Amino acid sequence: MKIGIFDSGIEGLIVLKELKSNINFADIIYYGDISHNPYNNKSSGQIENYCLKIGEFFIDNRVSLIIIACKFATKVALDVMRKRFTSIPIIGLYDKFKISDQVISKLEEPSSNNYPRKRKKHCKIEYFVAGNPEQFKRLGNLIVGNKINNVYQIIDYEQ
């Protein structure tokens, strides 16, 4: 099972850090859209477009759940994403803390076949960035404690 997390910057790494501490049954794909940061000076249409493209990226990578770890993107694009990607649950983040409870709750819903039966010893975390991967790594390591090694840059992302 994989969980996709995205943010317009690196603050979503706080969410990732909490998930990693409390959920040890899923691999995580983190997408930092730092090339469009900040979202709060973009139009609603632009933000919806960014979020839908990131959603497609997650679908292509077969995630079982998407977390929008950006309050502004949640406000603007959560409903649009839920309408487009009906096959997987999407959680919009209004509170960066208590996210683990929300994830477990969503995966335990009777309509979800995603809740795993076994825990994993080592969950894999992959980092993808639209923007400067070195900047992301430098700032991100301040949040997660020097644990970000490999960052994959998204090159063909619309500016």
Side-chain angles (χ1 to χ4, degrees):
M1 162 186 252
K2 289 186 217 173
I3 296 173
I5 302 172
F6 78 93
D7 188 16
S8 63
I10 60 166
E11 224 176 68
L13 290 171
I14 296 168
V15 173
L16 179 132
K17 188 175 180 180
E18 189 207 335
L19 278 180
K20 204 171 115 182
S21 299
N22 297 304
I23 295 179
N24 61 352
F25 55 77
D27 294 330
I28 298 171
I29 296 178
Y30 183 89
Y31 191 114
D33 188 16
I34 59 177
S35 68
H36 296 114
N37 182 302
Y39 275 10
N40 63 358
N41 67 0
K42 308 290 190 289
S43 72
S44 294
Q46 286 175 300
I47 294 167
E48 289 171 0
N49 187 44
Y50 302 151
C51 292
L52 290 172
K53 286 185 180 295
I54 293 168
E56 292 290 344
F57 172 83
F58 285 139
I59 296 295
D60 290 346
N61 282 278
R62 302 185 191 286
V63 301
S64 301
L65 174 89
I66 296 174
I67 299 171
I68 306 171
C70 172
K71 288 180 187 177
F72 203 76
T74 294
K75 180 179 171 185
V76 173
L78 178 62
D79 291 337
V80 171
M81 289 188 72
R82 284 181 173 162
K83 286 177 186 165
R84 170 78 64 86
F85 308 112
T86 58
S87 63
I88 61 171
I90 300 173
I91 296 174
L93 186 68
Y94 294 100
D95 181 4
K96 283 187 175 37
F97 304 98
K98 309 277 187 205
I99 191 69
S100 299
D101 295 338
Q102 292 178 51
V103 169
I104 290 170
S105 171
K106 187 58 86 173
L107 294 176
E108 286 179 332
E109 288 179 359
S111 61
S112 173
N113 293 322
N114 293 320
Y115 196 73
R117 303 287 181 248
K118 287 202 266 184
R119 305 286 187 209
K120 297 170 90 173
K121 284 189 178 182
H122 302 287
C123 296
K124 180 178 174 183
I125 300 174
E126 295 179 288
Y127 301 92
F128 293 85
V129 175
N132 184 331
E134 290 306 313
Q135 176 189 14
F136 174 83
K137 196 173 2 177
R138 192 172 49 256
L139 296 172
N141 278 327
L142 295 173
I143 294 172
V144 297
N146 292 322
K147 295 181 181 172
I148 298 175
N149 296 315
N150 294 325
V151 178
Y152 304 98
Q153 186 174 20
I154 304 293
I155 295 173
D156 62 342
Y157 193 75
E158 177 183 307
Q159 291 297 321

mmCIF file of all heavy atoms in Angstrom, residues 1 23 25 64-65 89 91 100-117 119:
data_model
loop_
_atom_site.group_PDB
_atom_site.id
_atom_site.type_symbol
_atom_site.label_atom_id
_atom_site.label_comp_id
_atom_site.label_asym_id
_atom_site.label_seq_id
_atom_site.Cartn_x
_atom_site.Cartn_y
_atom_site.Cartn_z
ATOM 1 N N MET A 1 0.833 -1.174 0.000
ATOM 2 C CA MET A 1 0.000 0.000 0.000
ATOM 3 C C MET A 1 0.883 1.246 0.000
ATOM 4 O O MET A 1 1.913 1.286 0.662
ATOM 5 C CB MET A 1 -0.880 -0.011 1.243
ATOM 6 C CG MET A 1 -1.445 1.352 1.553
ATOM 7 S SD MET A 1 -2.314 1.388 3.082
ATOM 8 C CE MET A 1 -3.912 1.511 2.433
ATOM 9 N N ILE A 23 2.205 5.406 11.513
ATOM 10 C CA ILE A 23 1.654 4.449 10.548
ATOM 11 C C ILE A 23 2.812 3.698 9.914
ATOM 12 O O ILE A 23 3.581 4.257 9.148
ATOM 13 C CB ILE A 23 0.820 5.177 9.473
ATOM 14 C CG1 ILE A 23 -0.382 5.818 10.136
ATOM 15 C CG2 ILE A 23 0.402 4.215 8.375
ATOM 16 C CD1 ILE A 23 -1.269 6.585 9.207
ATOM 17 N N PHE A 25 2.515 0.795 8.079
ATOM 18 C CA PHE A 25 2.032 -0.236 7.165
ATOM 19 C C PHE A 25 2.019 0.216 5.713
ATOM 20 O O PHE A 25 1.610 -0.533 4.850
ATOM 21 C CB PHE A 25 0.632 -0.704 7.551
ATOM 22 C CG PHE A 25 -0.384 0.402 7.657
ATOM 23 C CD1 PHE A 25 -0.940 0.983 6.524
ATOM 24 C CD2 PHE A 25 -0.788 0.854 8.891
ATOM 25 C CE1 PHE A 25 -1.870 1.993 6.623
ATOM 26 C CE2 PHE A 25 -1.728 1.867 8.995
ATOM 27 C CZ PHE A 25 -2.271 2.434 7.866
ATOM 28 N N SER A 64 -2.921 4.453 -2.738
ATOM 29 C CA SER A 64 -4.223 4.015 -2.229
ATOM 30 C C SER A 64 -4.971 5.140 -1.531
ATOM 31 O O SER A 64 -6.148 4.995 -1.226
ATOM 32 C CB SER A 64 -4.024 2.872 -1.231
ATOM 33 O OG SER A 64 -3.361 1.801 -1.838
ATOM 34 N N LEU A 65 -4.276 6.236 -1.248
ATOM 35 C CA LEU A 65 -4.851 7.366 -0.529
ATOM 36 C C LEU A 65 -4.025 8.598 -0.861
ATOM 37 O O LEU A 65 -2.809 8.509 -0.960
ATOM 38 C CB LEU A 65 -4.797 7.098 0.984
ATOM 39 C CG LEU A 65 -5.220 8.231 1.898
ATOM 40 C CD1 LEU A 65 -6.727 8.154 2.145
ATOM 41 C CD2 LEU A 65 -4.503 8.144 3.227
ATOM 42 N N PRO A 89 -9.629 7.368 -1.772
ATOM 43 C CA PRO A 89 -9.960 8.429 -0.820
ATOM 44 C C PRO A 89 -8.935 9.561 -0.875
ATOM 45 O O PRO A 89 -7.745 9.328 -1.098
ATOM 46 C CB PRO A 89 -9.938 7.728 0.538
ATOM 47 C CG PRO A 89 -9.333 6.395 0.340
ATOM 48 C CD PRO A 89 -9.262 6.115 -1.125
ATOM 49 N N ILE A 91 -7.854 12.976 1.436
ATOM 50 C CA ILE A 91 -8.003 13.714 2.684
ATOM 51 C C ILE A 91 -7.433 15.107 2.477
ATOM 52 O O ILE A 91 -6.284 15.259 2.052
ATOM 53 C CB ILE A 91 -7.257 13.023 3.842
ATOM 54 C CG1 ILE A 91 -7.859 11.654 4.129
ATOM 55 C CG2 ILE A 91 -7.271 13.895 5.091
ATOM 56 C CD1 ILE A 91 -7.092 10.852 5.149
ATOM 57 N N SER A 100 -2.702 11.112 11.350
ATOM 58 C CA SER A 100 -2.644 9.652 11.405
ATOM 59 C C SER A 100 -4.008 9.068 11.717
ATOM 60 O O SER A 100 -4.419 8.073 11.124
ATOM 61 C CB SER A 100 -1.630 9.190 12.453
ATOM 62 O OG SER A 100 -0.349 9.650 12.130
ATOM 63 N N ASP A 101 -4.735 9.685 12.652
ATOM 64 C CA ASP A 101 -6.079 9.219 12.997
ATOM 65 C C ASP A 101 -7.007 9.319 11.789
ATOM 66 O O ASP A 101 -7.822 8.432 11.539
ATOM 67 C CB ASP A 101 -6.662 10.027 14.155
ATOM 68 C CG ASP A 101 -5.889 9.829 15.447
ATOM 69 O OD1 ASP A 101 -5.190 8.800 15.583
ATOM 70 O OD2 ASP A 101 -5.977 10.714 16.326
ATOM 71 N N GLN A 102 -6.889 10.412 11.029
ATOM 72 C CA GLN A 102 -7.734 10.581 9.842
ATOM 73 C C GLN A 102 -7.428 9.514 8.795
ATOM 74 O O GLN A 102 -8.344 8.974 8.163
ATOM 75 C CB GLN A 102 -7.519 11.963 9.230
ATOM 76 C CG GLN A 102 -8.018 13.111 10.077
ATOM 77 C CD GLN A 102 -7.702 14.436 9.407
ATOM 78 O OE1 GLN A 102 -8.006 14.638 8.238
ATOM 79 N NE2 GLN A 102 -7.073 15.338 10.143
ATOM 80 N N VAL A 103 -6.153 9.223 8.600
ATOM 81 C CA VAL A 103 -5.750 8.227 7.601
ATOM 82 C C VAL A 103 -6.276 6.851 7.998
ATOM 83 O O VAL A 103 -6.894 6.152 7.197
ATOM 84 C CB VAL A 103 -4.211 8.201 7.433
ATOM 85 C CG1 VAL A 103 -3.772 6.989 6.613
ATOM 86 C CG2 VAL A 103 -3.736 9.490 6.786
ATOM 87 N N ILE A 104 -6.046 6.462 9.239
ATOM 88 C CA ILE A 104 -6.502 5.152 9.692
ATOM 89 C C ILE A 104 -8.019 5.062 9.599
ATOM 90 O O ILE A 104 -8.572 4.079 9.122
ATOM 91 C CB ILE A 104 -5.991 4.856 11.112
ATOM 92 C CG1 ILE A 104 -4.473 4.641 11.057
ATOM 93 C CG2 ILE A 104 -6.689 3.630 11.697
ATOM 94 C CD1 ILE A 104 -3.796 4.578 12.395
ATOM 95 N N SER A 105 -8.698 6.118 10.009
ATOM 96 C CA SER A 105 -10.161 6.137 9.943
ATOM 97 C C SER A 105 -10.645 5.958 8.507
ATOM 98 O O SER A 105 -11.556 5.182 8.229
ATOM 99 C CB SER A 105 -10.672 7.452 10.521
ATOM 100 O OG SER A 105 -12.038 7.597 10.294
ATOM 101 N N LYS A 106 -10.039 6.672 7.568
ATOM 102 C CA LYS A 106 -10.438 6.590 6.162
ATOM 103 C C LYS A 106 -10.172 5.192 5.601
ATOM 104 O O LYS A 106 -10.987 4.643 4.863
ATOM 105 C CB LYS A 106 -9.681 7.647 5.352
ATOM 106 C CG LYS A 106 -10.106 7.789 3.932
ATOM 107 C CD LYS A 106 -11.561 8.132 3.771
ATOM 108 C CE LYS A 106 -11.851 9.589 3.847
ATOM 109 N NZ LYS A 106 -13.251 9.905 3.524
ATOM 110 N N LEU A 107 -9.071 4.597 5.977
ATOM 111 C CA LEU A 107 -8.726 3.279 5.450
ATOM 112 C C LEU A 107 -9.525 2.160 6.105
ATOM 113 O O LEU A 107 -9.633 1.073 5.553
ATOM 114 C CB LEU A 107 -7.228 3.017 5.613
ATOM 115 C CG LEU A 107 -6.327 3.923 4.787
ATOM 116 C CD1 LEU A 107 -4.870 3.643 5.101
ATOM 117 C CD2 LEU A 107 -6.592 3.786 3.306
ATOM 118 N N GLU A 108 -10.097 2.433 7.268
ATOM 119 C CA GLU A 108 -10.905 1.421 7.954
ATOM 120 C C GLU A 108 -12.375 1.460 7.536
ATOM 121 O O GLU A 108 -13.144 0.622 7.961
ATOM 122 C CB GLU A 108 -10.815 1.605 9.472
ATOM 123 C CG GLU A 108 -9.488 1.167 10.041
ATOM 124 C CD GLU A 108 -9.401 1.383 11.534
ATOM 125 O OE1 GLU A 108 -10.069 2.304 12.059
ATOM 126 O OE2 GLU A 108 -8.659 0.644 12.176
ATOM 127 N N GLU A 109 -12.767 2.427 6.713
ATOM 128 C CA GLU A 109 -14.157 2.506 6.275
ATOM 129 C C GLU A 109 -14.545 1.218 5.564
ATOM 130 O O GLU A 109 -13.735 0.628 4.847
ATOM 131 C CB GLU A 109 -14.360 3.703 5.333
ATOM 132 C CG GLU A 109 -14.317 5.024 6.040
ATOM 133 C CD GLU A 109 -14.484 6.205 5.090
ATOM 134 O OE1 GLU A 109 -14.609 6.005 3.872
ATOM 135 O OE2 GLU A 109 -14.483 7.333 5.596
ATOM 136 N N PRO A 110 -15.800 0.776 5.763
ATOM 137 C CA PRO A 110 -16.239 -0.474 5.127
ATOM 138 C C PRO A 110 -16.060 -0.483 3.609
ATOM 139 O O PRO A 110 -15.812 -1.526 3.020
ATOM 140 C CB PRO A 110 -17.723 -0.547 5.490
ATOM 141 C CG PRO A 110 -17.873 0.320 6.680
ATOM 142 C CD PRO A 110 -16.813 1.383 6.581
ATOM 143 N N SER A 111 -16.138 0.689 2.970
ATOM 144 C CA SER A 111 -16.002 0.738 1.512
ATOM 145 C C SER A 111 -14.552 0.623 1.051
ATOM 146 O O SER A 111 -14.275 0.498 -0.124
ATOM 147 C CB SER A 111 -16.589 2.047 0.981
ATOM 148 O OG SER A 111 -15.878 3.142 1.527
ATOM 149 N N SER A 112 -13.616 0.664 2.005
ATOM 150 C CA SER A 112 -12.201 0.614 1.647
ATOM 151 C C SER A 112 -11.647 -0.796 1.802
ATOM 152 O O SER A 112 -11.813 -1.433 2.825
ATOM 153 C CB SER A 112 -11.404 1.575 2.536
ATOM 154 O OG SER A 112 -10.029 1.412 2.312
ATOM 155 N N ASN A 113 -10.985 -1.255 0.765
ATOM 156 C CA ASN A 113 -10.290 -2.542 0.835
ATOM 157 C C ASN A 113 -8.807 -2.332 1.071
ATOM 158 O O ASN A 113 -8.001 -3.212 0.842
ATOM 159 C CB ASN A 113 -10.482 -3.321 -0.472
ATOM 160 C CG ASN A 113 -11.910 -3.728 -0.666
ATOM 161 O OD1 ASN A 113 -12.577 -4.090 0.298
ATOM 162 N ND2 ASN A 113 -12.381 -3.658 -1.892
ATOM 163 N N ASN A 114 -8.438 -1.142 1.516
ATOM 164 C CA ASN A 114 -7.039 -0.762 1.596
ATOM 165 C C ASN A 114 -6.364 -1.054 2.924
ATOM 166 O O ASN A 114 -5.164 -1.066 3.009
ATOM 167 C CB ASN A 114 -6.888 0.739 1.329
ATOM 168 C CG ASN A 114 -7.243 1.084 -0.087
ATOM 169 O OD1 ASN A 114 -6.908 0.349 -0.991
ATOM 170 N ND2 ASN A 114 -7.937 2.183 -0.277
ATOM 171 N N TYR A 115 -7.155 -1.241 3.983
ATOM 172 C CA TYR A 115 -6.510 -1.360 5.281
ATOM 173 C C TYR A 115 -5.688 -2.639 5.350
ATOM 174 O O TYR A 115 -6.203 -3.725 5.146
ATOM 175 C CB TYR A 115 -7.539 -1.321 6.415
ATOM 176 C CG TYR A 115 -6.884 -1.063 7.746
ATOM 177 C CD1 TYR A 115 -6.392 0.193 8.050
ATOM 178 C CD2 TYR A 115 -6.715 -2.079 8.671
ATOM 179 C CE1 TYR A 115 -5.776 0.442 9.258
ATOM 180 C CE2 TYR A 115 -6.100 -1.832 9.881
ATOM 181 C CZ TYR A 115 -5.633 -0.575 10.173
ATOM 182 O OH TYR A 115 -5.012 -0.334 11.360
ATOM 183 N N PRO A 116 -4.421 -2.507 5.614
ATOM 184 C CA PRO A 116 -3.532 -3.663 5.581
ATOM 185 C C PRO A 116 -3.702 -4.566 6.805
ATOM 186 O O PRO A 116 -4.102 -4.111 7.853
ATOM 187 C CB PRO A 116 -2.145 -3.030 5.581
ATOM 188 C CG PRO A 116 -2.340 -1.741 6.276
ATOM 189 C CD PRO A 116 -3.726 -1.275 5.934
ATOM 190 N N ARG A 117 -3.373 -5.786 6.612
ATOM 191 C CA ARG A 117 -3.451 -6.748 7.712
ATOM 192 C C ARG A 117 -2.116 -6.866 8.449
ATOM 193 O O ARG A 117 -2.077 -7.194 9.603
ATOM 194 C CB ARG A 117 -3.838 -8.126 7.166
ATOM 195 C CG ARG A 117 -5.139 -8.112 6.412
ATOM 196 C CD ARG A 117 -6.305 -7.962 7.370
ATOM 197 N NE ARG A 117 -7.564 -7.982 6.663
ATOM 198 C CZ ARG A 117 -8.366 -6.928 6.551
ATOM 199 N NH1 ARG A 117 -8.049 -5.784 7.069
ATOM 200 N NH2 ARG A 117 -9.502 -7.031 5.914
ATOM 201 N N ARG A 119 1.814 -5.293 9.437
ATOM 202 C CA ARG A 119 2.704 -4.137 9.561
ATOM 203 C C ARG A 119 4.004 -4.443 8.811
ATOM 204 O O ARG A 119 4.412 -5.589 8.676
ATOM 205 C CB ARG A 119 3.034 -3.847 11.024
ATOM 206 C CG ARG A 119 1.817 -3.654 11.885
ATOM 207 C CD ARG A 119 1.214 -2.323 11.605
ATOM 208 N NE ARG A 119 0.135 -2.063 12.552
ATOM 209 C CZ ARG A 119 -0.896 -1.327 12.277
ATOM 210 N NH1 ARG A 119 -1.031 -0.797 11.097
ATOM 211 N NH2 ARG A 119 -1.830 -1.106 13.154
#
